[in-house]
Amino acid sequence: MEDNTKKAPRKKTIDPAAEQLLKKAEKDGVSTAFSRVDEMKACSIGLSGICCKNCWMGPCRLIKEDSRGICGATPATVAARNMARAVAGGSAAHSDHGRDVALMLRGIADGSISGFQIADETKLNNVAADLGIETEGRAINDIALDVANEAVANFGRQEGELSLLNRAPAKRQEIWKKLDIAPRGVDREIVEMMHRTTMGVDTDPEHVLMQSLKAALGDGWGGSMLATDLQDIIFGTPWARRGQVNLGVLKEDEVNIVMHGHEALLSEMIVAASRDPEIIKYAESKGAKGINLSGICCSSNETLARQGVPPAGNFLHQELAIVTGVVDAMVVDVQCIFQALADVASSYHTKLVATSHKAKIPGAEYIPLDEKNPIETAKQIVRLAIDNFPNRKDYEIPPHVSELIAGFSHEYIRYMLGGEFRNTLRPLNDAIMEGRIMGLAGVVGCNNPRATQDAAHTYIVRELIKNDVLVVQTGCGAIASAKYGLLLPEAMAEAGPGLQEIGETVGIPPVLHMGSCVDNSRILTILSDVVAEGGLGDDISDLPAVGIAPEWMSEKALAIGEYFVASGAYVIFGVLNPISGSPVVEDIMKNKWQEQLQGRLEFEADPAEIVKKTLAHIKERRAALGLTEYKPGKYVRIGAPTAFDANSKSLQTPHGA
Ligand code: NFS
């Protein structure tokens, strides 16, 4: 992909709302990630993965294949260790989030946290069954306590295996056993990864990377999966719902609170506090017509999917939201939060509020969430935002808002396809087998200011749906598609004829919003369920499916990429290649992993190439399964004339020809 450095503002994004606010930021003399990227040229040695900073004899820059570090480390060892440490970092972030949710469930169940009830008892019983916990005739709180304790035990377990690995196809579990990468405990694999990559321990690149897969599996099938499942139990399992997106959701006559970060607890509490009649009255007493909540990043995906709170945007919108001048408070917890938010906020009236005991931000107000009584902290924060409402000065709200549908949990997808009593994935499997749906793609991950915001996301998604590939999305990728209307059933007009037929039958969009980044675990569950449903092989690696992170930037994205590979998926990352300095490591991740795991990880900067590789892989998987050859045009495109049209005007296709 083209380097984004030194481009005029309009080239930095395809989003007209972002474009408008970049001009305002420039006029206001405010720097953003979009402008700072111009000043910060990436170090080519660090970027290609061959700078070693693991001890202070260096840093050693291994610019040639025969370069050696002071300890003798090769470029392959260094690139493998850097990748592995990034995966450990990403896995730690998701998993520490999951641990806190498990501790919260325990607190709710034993009564030490007040003000909560279990929102989804069915999910509690289902998760309990997967964890081997008896449910028959037991009180809800007793089941919840056992579920929470078992979840907590998964983090610190020293021996054995994570509980939810049993959701994977049997063949996949065998592969993990054979390669000794079935994680024992979530924490243990991350700690071992950090130990093995410290100076003078594990220097065999293949061996180092194998442990990175084990740590990543602990994220996907452990930390993230528990975060998703337990958040569903506490706050409710997402169900499809309409919503809105983009900076135009901010309101000039209401108190605007933007929730940014990751953990559902904070955002759910702010939602609850903002609905309190006394708080609403307080807002009115300050001249506001109400309290308007919106979100950024994964906090936003969580509250969108469960409460319908609109996202103000994805990762690169965090500073731009403040630049509007109407955000009375931005409330943050952990992950993907720019330190620069405090600087940007100081140029406007916005109060930046840090709420996690794990994350203080210089320049931000610090109001740590009282974990035993979080609603009271949330009310304090909402009042602070209300008090700030009269301090607004000049402002500019871009007019851009798009409609969307979000909330496709795997439970909802099964319900949608089979109804209340026969919930099933059978119609999905049949559609793939018949070739109406050519295959599946998970298009996930971040924005990266080194690439044009949303350009690769939307290009890839559009090309895939055009080719009858059903797309599922999470994280900032899902918000990207939402901004351009791709999460609406109407977007089926851009889909291929086979996918359109499915849309007509089930009423779904061609792109399904499955939640936040920890909810990538929902994709693991659904892929396993598709395998279990039958007719598409006996492992995730048999499925005509690909994972793509077109605009990634985070260690968490690398962890997700690796756990999908370890689960048997072909995964492609866009923008840049963090291991390009070592052809040996590239070969391991592509070819060796293909041999061992029937999954591989590739870095490909060109979005057109990503589409090509995706479609080729899907076709190849279909052929291996002996499925009907994919023939575009075999099915009827919505609105196209049908055989009936020639004879009878009354039998036109549903939208009329
Ligand atoms: Ni995912 Fe969610 Fe967005 Fe990237 Fe950050 S918010 S956890 S890491 S930037 S998709």
Side-chain angles (χ1 to χ4, degrees):
M1 179 168 289
E2 216 181 327
D3 183 9
N4 205 32
T5 307
K6 299 291 176 202
K7 283 182 179 171
R10 67 187 174 77
K11 300 275 189 185
K12 291 176 180 291
T13 179
I14 59 163
D15 182 337
E19 199 177 320
Q20 179 179 339
L21 289 170
L22 284 174
K23 286 184 191 139
K24 181 170 187 298
E26 201 173 353
K27 191 178 81 205
D28 296 347
V30 169
S31 91
T32 64
F34 290 93
S35 60
R36 289 188 296 273
V37 78
D38 291 346
E39 312 304 324
M40 186 57 68
K41 196 155 171 42
C43 159
S44 63
I45 304 164
L47 179 62
S48 51
I50 45 176
C51 173
C52 183
K53 308 194 266 93
N54 292 17
C55 82
W56 279 260
M57 294 194 288
C60 297
R61 289 153 298 145
L62 309 187
I63 43 180
K64 290 192 232 130
E65 195 48 35
D66 60 357
S67 303
R68 294 292 177 266
I70 293 169
C71 69
T74 64
T77 297
V78 170
R81 285 198 303 220
N82 286 338
M83 169 61 75
R85 285 203 153 201
V87 168
S91 301
H94 286 145
S95 299
D96 210 29
H97 170 173
R99 176 203 329 275
D100 280 348
V101 184
L103 292 171
M104 186 185 175
L105 182 65
R106 183 153 83 183
I108 294 168
D110 69 17
S112 59
I113 296 178
S114 58
F116 289 92
Q117 284 174 339
I118 302 299
D120 190 340
E121 289 184 19
T122 308
K123 181 113 190 193
L124 175 68
N125 286 328
N126 290 341
V127 174
D130 287 349
L131 294 174
I133 291 164
E134 187 55 57
T135 55
E136 202 57 39
R138 299 185 67 204
I140 282 297
N141 275 3
D142 292 345
I143 301 169
L145 189 59
D146 284 356
V147 165
N149 282 331
E150 179 57 20
V152 171
N154 267 261
F155 291 91
R157 184 166 288 151
Q158 302 304 315
E159 286 163 338
E161 282 181 13
L162 296 184
S163 312
L164 297 178
L165 299 186
N166 60 7
R167 287 185 178 168
K171 193 169 166 191
R172 185 54 33 187
Q173 294 182 49
E174 280 310 308
I175 292 171
W176 293 337
K177 279 200 179 76
K178 195 173 130 222
L179 293 172
D180 189 24
I181 54 169
R184 295 157 292 188
V186 174
D187 296 352
R188 176 161 189 186
E189 305 312 345
I190 294 168
V191 169
E192 185 169 320
M193 188 74 269
M194 295 306 284
H195 173 198
R196 278 163 62 165
T197 50
T198 197
M199 194 268 150
V201 187
D202 195 0
T203 49
D204 177 334
E206 201 183 315
H207 196 238
V208 167
L209 289 167
M210 199 47 83
Q211 177 62 21
S212 74
L213 292 165
K214 199 169 181 175
L217 283 170
D219 172 356
W221 297 84
S224 281
M225 197 169 273
L226 288 165
T228 295
D229 283 353
L230 305 191
Q231 286 183 161
D232 285 355
I233 290 170
I234 299 170
F235 302 115
T237 301
W239 226 236
R241 57 166 73 236
R242 273 198 174 262
Q244 293 189 317
V245 62
N246 216 342
L247 290 154
V249 302
L250 297 170
K251 293 192 175 148
E252 62 178 345
D253 50 5
E254 295 190 20
V255 176
N256 288 303
I257 302 175
V258 179
M259 304 174 290
H260 173 25
H262 281 79
E263 296 179 348
L265 169 63
L266 170 69
S267 39
E268 289 284 338
M269 289 302 92
I270 298 284
V271 172
S274 70
R275 289 174 183 165
D276 183 304
E278 255 181 52
I279 299 261
I280 294 171
K281 239 191 224 158
Y282 186 57
E284 286 164 356
S285 77
K286 299 280 178 181
K289 285 204 174 136
I291 300 167
N292 180 45
L293 301 183
S294 59
I296 297 276
C297 284
C298 284
S299 286
S300 185
N301 283 312
E302 301 279 4
T303 40
L304 168 67
R306 293 197 182 87
Q307 307 284 356
V309 173
N314 42 4
F315 181 60
L316 283 177
H317 272 32
Q318 56 185 288
E319 293 167 298
L320 301 181
I322 298 177
V323 171
T324 61
V326 288
V327 174
D328 302 301
M330 182 174 278
V331 190
V332 303
D333 53 20
V334 289
Q335 302 172 25
C336 301
I337 298 153
F338 285 158
Q339 181 167 358
L341 287 181
D343 281 342
V344 179
S346 72
S347 298
Y348 302 92
H349 82 301
T350 306
K351 296 270 188 205
L352 179 67
V353 185
T355 62
S356 168
H357 68 274
K358 294 174 193 165
K360 276 196 168 186
I361 302 172
E365 305 244 357
Y366 181 52
I367 308 181
L369 201 66
D370 176 353
E371 280 158 10
K372 299 289 172 204
N373 194 1
I375 188 72
E376 282 312 312
T377 320
K379 283 183 187 169
Q380 187 189 345
I381 293 167
V382 174
R383 276 200 201 95
L384 180 118
I386 294 170
D387 287 336
N388 199 26
F389 176 75
N391 298 331
R392 282 191 201 165
K393 297 183 194 93
D394 293 341
Y395 61 83
E396 184 176 327
I397 304 175
H400 308 282
V401 178
S402 300
E403 302 288 318
L404 61 90
I405 294 184
F408 289 89
S409 56
H410 51 269
E411 288 87 347
Y412 179 77
I413 293 173
R414 295 181 73 98
Y415 166 79
M416 170 184 87
L417 295 174
E420 177 107 24
F421 300 107
R422 204 177 57 95
N423 81 39
T424 176
L425 292 177
R426 195 65 247 161
L428 175 63
N429 282 40
D430 287 345
I432 296 171
M433 290 165 74
E434 288 158 2
R436 281 188 173 80
I437 293 177
M438 185 191 180
L440 304 171
V443 184
V444 306
C446 328
N447 289 139
N448 186 326
R450 299 216 176 264
T452 303
Q453 184 194 20
D454 300 340
H457 274 296
T458 48
Y459 169 79
I460 289 167
V461 166
R462 287 197 153 108
E463 287 301 309
L464 293 180
I465 64 173
K466 202 192 287 174
N467 283 282
D468 289 322
V469 175
L470 178 66
V471 174
V472 295
Q473 291 204 275
T474 59
C476 292
I479 301 176
S481 286
K483 288 194 278 179
Y484 310 94
L486 292 166
L487 301 191
L488 290 170
E490 291 82 347
M492 275 294 183
E494 294 192 44
L499 193 52
Q500 282 194 3
E501 276 206 3
I502 301 298
E504 272 302 292
T505 315
V506 201
I508 52 166
V511 183
L512 305 182
H513 177 293
M514 289 194 75
S516 67
C517 284
V518 292
D519 294 338
N520 281 307
S521 62
R522 296 191 203 277
I523 302 178
L524 293 177
T525 305
I526 209 154
L527 293 177
S528 303
D529 286 357
V530 166
V531 171
E533 188 62 47
L536 290 169
D538 53 9
D539 186 21
I540 292 172
S541 61
D542 294 329
L543 300 175
V546 177
I548 307 165
E551 300 177 27
W552 72 283
M553 64 85 210
S554 168
E555 289 177 332
K556 291 180 287 176
L558 290 172
I560 294 165
E562 283 210 6
Y563 71 64
F564 271 99
V565 171
S567 303
Y570 176 28
V571 175
I572 312 171
F573 272 49
V575 193
L576 47 85
N577 179 348
I579 49 159
S580 63
S582 172
V584 174
V585 169
E586 281 188 301
D587 184 57
I588 293 169
M589 296 175 102
K590 192 172 165 185
N591 300 318
K592 189 77 195 182
W593 283 0
Q594 180 62 44
E595 213 178 279
Q596 296 169 310
L597 294 151
Q598 292 82 57
R600 63 185 189 272
L601 181 55
E602 283 176 27
F603 294 91
E604 173 56 65
D606 180 356
E609 271 305 304
I610 293 177
V611 171
K612 243 204 225 153
K613 286 177 178 216
T614 301
L615 296 177
H617 179 78
I618 287 175
K619 278 187 185 151
E620 188 252 305
R621 290 288 86 200
R622 291 188 66 84
L625 286 165
L627 297 179
T628 321
E629 198 191 334
Y630 168 68
K631 287 200 182 116
K634 182 174 161 194
Y635 301 100
V636 180
R637 183 174 288 276
I638 295 170
T642 68
F644 296 117
D645 294 340
N647 305 322
S648 166
K649 285 255 180 275
S650 63
L651 283 172
Q652 287 178 351
T653 49
H655 289 181

